[in-house]
């Protein structure tokens, strides 16, 4: 791994260089065509694209309940147990994320508040092949269910040999209500607009490739989406008390995900930096996915040596990593310095994979620096809020002149009148005289 | 206004017809070019587009503090008073929206929670000309400030005669930290990517025309955005106890906004329906903005007569109106039936303009049916969350086998190893032996 020891300003530039984004116009256009075709042709288009892109002839788009049941029953015992422990931890944590409706009753004659309502129907995108992670199904479906979403449906690309039993089994364990075998941009289009077989949803969540991400961006507004997931990253802040063998393993656990993954160590210890670099080389050679991890380590990752703890955090906040390990003495005391990160792993024994599977917090996290403004997927993503208020006549009368001034300043006479007409005696005298209702009032 | 009395199913179809969306590829492409040009040329591009689109030669992009101060000092007294009352009410309501960090301390050896952090810098887009509403500046800036955002900046299109004093005065009252005179897609690009004069932000909020909306969609992911605002709408649910003169005024207060605005009354009273239709005609003719309101009323609005209260709500939930007035006896009792709405106005005296200016809740609301999945702009929009956890060695050991099973099932050997290496005695024996640090461990 490259080791940098430069002034902070130089390092900050380096980090920004690493996070540059691009848009691919060709993919944008292809995806737009797919979405329009699905809108026009429905299920037929889904079958056509499944044949074209996945090489699978799909009859029934919905996977039968019997097939899902069978898959669940066939899960190996130790795998089922692991999923159950994960589920229990994820639920325990996410129950603390439930938003409450509130009401302000401080003023006589005024009632105002906000009602929290779960979304009605949510769609989860689950990638196909080796990226069909059962853990992600739990991470997406369980918060939705805790939020009170009535219908959680799932889409996943069709496979020649049928959808993997582990995917179907995890879906059942997570309480998914229906599974459809369709993937790519066409699946996103189906969830956004609905087809004969697939009902349209209020929100689409879950990771996917560039076509899925582009489609999510294009249907945003028609439906809600979670976020545009980019390559994954880990940032580690460590001092000389940390174990370089552990740190190297953690950096590699991120790098094995994707050639575009990033693993960054920032440390105030040169000796730790050197030891980690050596250990990464050694452990990398023994990793089954070393071809992937090697590219990520060599092209996207680095170690930075910085003397002050504050500057270490300044640089890491600029990275805004999806995952952040703090391997400093009394790690939790530094939470105040964490501004931008998806999920933080404190101390020597909270390896990042704890969070991928078991810790409780969600593993669907803001990537590529978007932790600057985005949050982990959570229960709060599956509700919306509705404000409400009720004013008495007396309270309205107090505010009426202020409202009228502002409305007229903004050129909205009708707004002022809708207030003032409430204090117009002629309007109060209105009666429903059926025969004379047309045009009688006010003249 | 058109009055429909059809079966519920027919009405539901009607509503869906009214909410269809379209995308304009030409505008998409123009906006993409503008964004790319701003990214490449910075301030120079902003000046070029201001000249081209707004016909204004702009020197300093930032409006001086002295000009803002002057504008504030020149606000008419009754307008300043109205803005101050509005500010007090908006702040009182929004302080209840503050999210709290939480921690789960239920298990010895496990610490896990979520930290709420304000965004660092936020940009508000304020339209130019007649749509430069001071009320919207308060509605966007005050929640950001309550959330703890350090830097709230504002962009607004340049005007030949300078930015309107009311806009600058409201910005000062709302605590806006800097104002830049630039509008359109170029302003959105500047906020998303930064230029020499304008710092890049974490989130862009506020309404704008189709170019602004398209630009926000395109930069989404690089920054957070609030929502894609569409035409505004009001839905009113009323029975025979409601006053048709008031209702007509409220329908028109929405219609005067925009030719594409929608005003919908759903009632179980035919006599009310007829009276409102008559009153709308009468009041419409006396409205200054009648040319706009007439188009909205005739082309986009309707009255529906439905017998049952439950069906009235079913239809209105399908509309998912930005503003919902409930003028039924004991209106608040029906909040349980409200599934999709931005803001609800209860009873005879809570006219919709109360919410536009003074009531307390935000007036930046989900439009065009997006209340299905979106919320009013709020304090929660200006924070992000970071999960954190810390596991003791003993707690990690309990979970280790489950994590390893899941990681290997997902083909991620490196993930399993990063856990298991924590219990590898050789790793524990690692020492920093400076001279032998390279390659000594483990062989």
């Amino acid at each position: 791994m490259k080791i940098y020891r430069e002034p902070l300003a130089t390092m900050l530039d380096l980090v920004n260089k690493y996070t540059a984004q691009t848009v691919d116009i060709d993919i944008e256009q292809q995806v737009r065509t797919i979405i329009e075709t699905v809108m026009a042709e429905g299920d037929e288009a889904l079958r056509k694209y499944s044949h074209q892109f996945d090489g699978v002839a799909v009859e029934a788009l919905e996977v039968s309940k019997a097939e899902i049941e069978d898959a669940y029953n066939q899960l190996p015992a130790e795998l089922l147990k692991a999923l159950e422990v994960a589920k229990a931890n994820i639920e325990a944590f996410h129950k603390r994320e439930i938003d409450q409706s509130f009401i302000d009753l401080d003023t006589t004659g005024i009632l105002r508040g906000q009602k929290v309502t779960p979304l009605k129907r949510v769609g989860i995108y689950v990638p196909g092949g080796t990226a069909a992670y059962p853990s992600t199904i739990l991470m997406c479906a369980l918060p939705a269910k805790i939020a009170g979403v009535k219908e959680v449906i799932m889409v996943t690309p069709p496979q020649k040999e049928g959808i993997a039993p582990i995917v179907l089994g995890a879906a059942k364990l997570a309480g998914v209500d229906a599974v459809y075998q369709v993937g790519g941009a066409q699946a996103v289009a189906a969830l956004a607009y609905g087809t004969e077989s697939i009902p349209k949803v209020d929100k689409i969540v879950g990771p996917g490739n560039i076509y899925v991400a582009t489609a999510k961006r294009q249907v945003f507004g028609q439906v809600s989406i979670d976020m545009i997931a980019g390559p994954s990253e880990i940032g580690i802040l460590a001092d000389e008390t940390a174990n370089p063998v552990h740190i190297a393993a953690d950096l590699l656990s991120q790098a094995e995900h994707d050639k575009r993954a990033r693993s960054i160590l920032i440390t105030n210890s040169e000796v730790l930096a050197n030891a980690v670099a050596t250990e990464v080389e050694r452990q990398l050679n023994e990793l089954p996915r070393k071809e992937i991890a090697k590219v990520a380590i060599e092209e996207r990752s680095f170690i930075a040596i910085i003397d002050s703890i504050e500057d270490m955090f300044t640089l890491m906040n600029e990275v805004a990593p999806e995952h952040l390990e703090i391997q400093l003495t009394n790690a939790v005391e530094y939470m105040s310095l964490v501004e931008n990160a998806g999920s933080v792993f404190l101390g020597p024994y909270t390896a990042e994979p704890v969070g991928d599977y078991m810790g409780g917090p969600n593993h669907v996290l803001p990537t590529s620096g978007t932790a600057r403004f985005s949050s982990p997927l959570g229960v709060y993503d599956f509700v919306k809020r509705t404000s409400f208020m009720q004013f008495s006549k007396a309270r309205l009368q107090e505010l009426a002149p202020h409202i009228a001034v502002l409305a007229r300043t903004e050129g909205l006479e009708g707004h002022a009148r809708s207030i003032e007409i409430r204090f117009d005696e002629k309007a109060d005298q209105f009666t429903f005289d059926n025969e004379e209702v047309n045009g009688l009032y006010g003249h």
Side-chain angles (χ1 to χ4, degrees), chain A:
Chain A
M1 280 180 88
K2 290 189 209 82
I3 300 180
Y4 295 97
R5 176 155 210 162
E6 307 282 343
L8 183 60
T10 311
M11 300 278 206
L12 289 168
D13 284 348
L14 180 74
V15 165
N16 282 320
K17 178 172 78 69
Y18 273 86
T19 53
Q21 288 190 358
T22 54
V23 171
D24 186 321
I25 300 285
D26 269 0
I27 292 178
E28 290 271 334
Q29 193 51 54
Q30 285 175 54
V31 166
R32 196 173 297 287
T33 303
I34 291 171
I35 292 174
E36 284 165 2
T37 307
V38 171
M39 288 173 72
E41 298 172 14
D43 285 352
E44 207 37 52
L46 301 183
R47 291 200 181 85
K48 183 177 77 181
Y49 287 124
S50 287
H51 187 259
Q52 184 179 335
F53 297 134
D54 305 299
V56 183
V58 174
E59 265 310 308
L61 286 160
E62 186 173 354
V63 178
S64 75
K65 302 291 181 224
E67 188 177 343
I68 295 170
E69 193 73 30
D70 279 358
Y72 178 78
N73 291 332
Q74 285 165 28
L75 288 178
E78 65 169 7
L79 181 56
L80 179 61
K81 178 66 185 170
L83 288 170
E84 282 170 346
V85 174
K87 178 181 175 181
N89 269 308
I90 295 165
E91 286 184 338
F93 185 84
H94 284 75
K95 278 182 181 157
R96 294 178 188 255
E97 293 177 350
I98 298 174
D99 286 317
Q100 299 292 332
S101 299
F102 69 79
I103 190 159
D104 171 359
L105 296 167
D106 285 356
T107 313
T108 309
I110 299 178
L111 185 86
R112 58 187 179 188
Q114 214 166 52
K115 181 192 179 197
V116 176
T117 312
L119 305 188
K120 212 162 174 178
R121 191 185 292 125
V122 164
I124 301 174
Y125 188 92
V126 177
T130 54
Y133 296 149
S135 56
T136 302
I137 298 172
L138 299 190
M139 291 290 182
C140 290
L142 295 174
K145 284 289 172 181
I146 290 169
V149 175
K150 288 206 191 74
E151 226 182 311
V152 176
I153 69 177
M154 196 177 107
V155 293
T156 190
Q159 309 288 328
K160 287 204 180 69
E161 62 285 6
I163 307 300
I166 177 132
V167 167
L168 298 178
K172 182 174 159 66
L173 185 72
V176 170
D177 297 289
V179 179
Y180 300 91
Q181 46 181 334
V182 59
Q186 60 273 23
V188 174
L191 291 172
Y193 292 96
T195 68
E196 303 91 313
S197 296
I198 301 181
K200 80 171 179 180
V201 301
D202 298 315
K203 184 160 192 163
I204 302 172
V205 301
N209 63 19
I210 182 71
Y211 290 90
V212 172
T214 304
K216 280 169 73 179
R217 186 196 300 273
Q218 288 186 9
V219 300
F220 169 70
Q222 169 67 28
V223 290
S224 178
I225 63 173
D226 53 346
M227 56 187 89
I228 308 290
S232 190
E233 69 259 358
I234 190 171
I236 303 180
L237 294 165
D239 60 18
E240 78 292 345
T241 66
N243 184 316
V245 182
H246 299 177
I247 289 177
D250 297 354
L251 292 170
L252 287 170
S253 78
Q254 197 60 33
E256 75 173 348
H257 268 297
D258 185 344
K259 288 181 180 173
R260 297 173 306 153
R262 272 204 303 172
S263 297
I264 294 171
L265 168 64
I266 302 177
T267 179
N268 54 4
S269 163
E270 185 161 358
V271 67
L272 182 82
N274 292 327
V276 169
T278 305
E279 262 302 296
V280 165
E281 292 304 315
R282 191 188 65 77
Q283 292 185 31
L284 179 59
N285 284 322
E286 297 171 3
L287 207 60
R289 293 167 70 96
K290 68 178 162 195
E291 297 310 321
I292 292 168
K294 194 173 154 66
V295 177
I297 290 290
E298 289 180 358
E299 294 182 9
R300 305 262 302 156
S301 304
F302 63 88
I303 297 172
I305 301 170
I306 293 187
D307 291 335
S308 103
I309 296 266
E310 283 68 26
D311 287 351
M312 284 166 61
F313 275 93
T314 300
L315 182 59
M316 193 58 93
N317 282 323
E318 193 72 19
V319 173
E322 182 187 12
H323 310 97
L324 171 62
E325 286 186 4
I326 304 182
Q327 299 210 29
L328 303 171
T329 313
N330 297 324
V332 70
E333 293 181 2
Y334 294 100
M335 275 305 296
S336 66
L337 296 177
V338 176
E339 286 177 7
N340 304 326
S343 197
V344 182
F345 303 80
L346 299 163
Y349 290 101
T350 320
E352 187 275 334
V354 176
D356 287 340
Y357 298 111
M358 288 285 159
N362 212 287
H363 82 199
V364 179
L365 296 168
T367 55
S368 308
T370 58
R372 259 169 53 223
F373 48 77
S374 293
S375 304
L377 189 69
V379 174
Y380 35 79
D381 283 303
F382 298 105
V383 301
K384 61 343 186 2
R385 300 167 188 237
T386 299
S387 299
F388 61 89
M389 59 185 136
Q390 179 168 296
F391 277 67
S392 68
K393 188 171 185 178
R395 288 295 175 194
L396 180 64
Q397 197 150 24
E398 289 168 6
L399 292 184
H402 301 311
I403 297 173
V405 164
L406 282 173
R408 292 195 169 107
T409 298
E410 295 185 352
L412 298 171
E413 178 65 23
H415 283 56
R417 289 187 189 174
S418 112
I419 301 297
E420 290 169 349
I421 210 162
R422 258 89 178 166
F423 304 99
D424 173 343
E425 285 179 18
K426 283 195 297 186
D428 280 347
Q429 286 156 17
F430 182 93
T431 55
F432 289 111
D433 182 336
N434 262 331
E435 293 180 24
E436 305 178 47
V437 80
N438 291 318
L440 242 204
Y441 163 74
H443 293 285

